């Protein structure tokens, strides 16, 4: 996962013509730590189709406010600078739920290409 710590780097990443998933986390977030063990395998499963970036919400508070990031971890799919779909909930996210979201993000991205 590419670590992004400022808004300029975030804009550069999400403006790419490829599908980018921004994962907003925080060091103090228990649910963020819960997903850490399986996220490398998830990233590997989607290699070549999705670029993953990670942001610590405490490092980019203004960006989080602009994007209305309230719960963490939050997953937002972007392509060409446009938000496609997001996965945000107060509940702990399972690997299956994250992979369902990634599948949906790919579908939306592919639909917009045609």
């Amino acid at each position: 996962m590419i670590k992004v710590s400022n808004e300029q780097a975030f804009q550069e990443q999400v403006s790419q013509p490829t599908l980018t998933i921004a994962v907003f986390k925080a060091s103090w977030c228990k649910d963020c730590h819960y997903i850490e063990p399986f996220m490398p395998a998830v990233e590997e499963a989607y290699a070549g189709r999705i670029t993953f970036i990670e942001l610590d919400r405490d490092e980019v508070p203004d960006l989080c406010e602009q994007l209305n990031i309230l719960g963490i971890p939050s997953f937002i799919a972007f392509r060409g600078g446009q938000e496609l779909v997001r996965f945000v909930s107060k509940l702990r996210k399972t690997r299956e739920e994250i992979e369902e979201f990634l599948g949906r993000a790919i579908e939306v991205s592919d639909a917009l290409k045609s």
Side-chain angles (χ1 to χ4, degrees):
M1 209 172 297
I2 301 167
K3 300 237 189 262
V4 173
S5 57
N6 62 63
E7 193 169 339
Q8 181 181 349
F10 168 78
Q11 294 299 342
E12 287 172 13
Q13 288 293 325
V14 300
S15 295
Q16 300 299 315
T18 54
L19 181 59
T20 300
I21 302 294
V23 183
F24 291 84
K25 300 165 86 179
S27 59
W28 47 264
C29 167
K30 287 183 176 144
D31 289 342
C32 300
H33 290 291
Y34 173 79
I35 68 171
E36 283 178 3
F38 61 77
M39 280 308 293
V42 170
E43 286 180 69
E44 193 175 306
Y46 289 89
R49 297 185 289 167
I50 297 176
T51 300
F52 289 87
I53 62 173
E54 178 182 321
L55 298 96
D56 184 318
R57 71 152 340 278
D58 294 335
E59 292 178 358
V60 288
D62 293 341
L63 177 63
C64 288
E65 190 174 318
Q66 288 171 30
L67 294 172
N68 201 26
I69 303 295
L70 302 174
I72 50 173
S74 288
F75 295 77
I76 305 179
F78 292 91
R79 198 186 84 221
Q82 178 184 3
E83 180 179 329
L84 305 179
V85 63
R86 60 172 61 198
F87 178 32
V88 181
S89 72
K90 292 187 289 186
L91 305 174
R92 178 173 278 178
K93 292 154 185 71
T94 65
R95 179 176 180 163
E96 292 75 24
E97 290 170 327
I98 292 168
E99 289 181 337
E100 282 177 25
F101 164 74
L102 297 176
R104 199 163 58 249
I106 289 169
E107 285 176 18
V108 171
S109 179
D110 288 348
L112 291 173
K113 281 183 197 171
S114 12

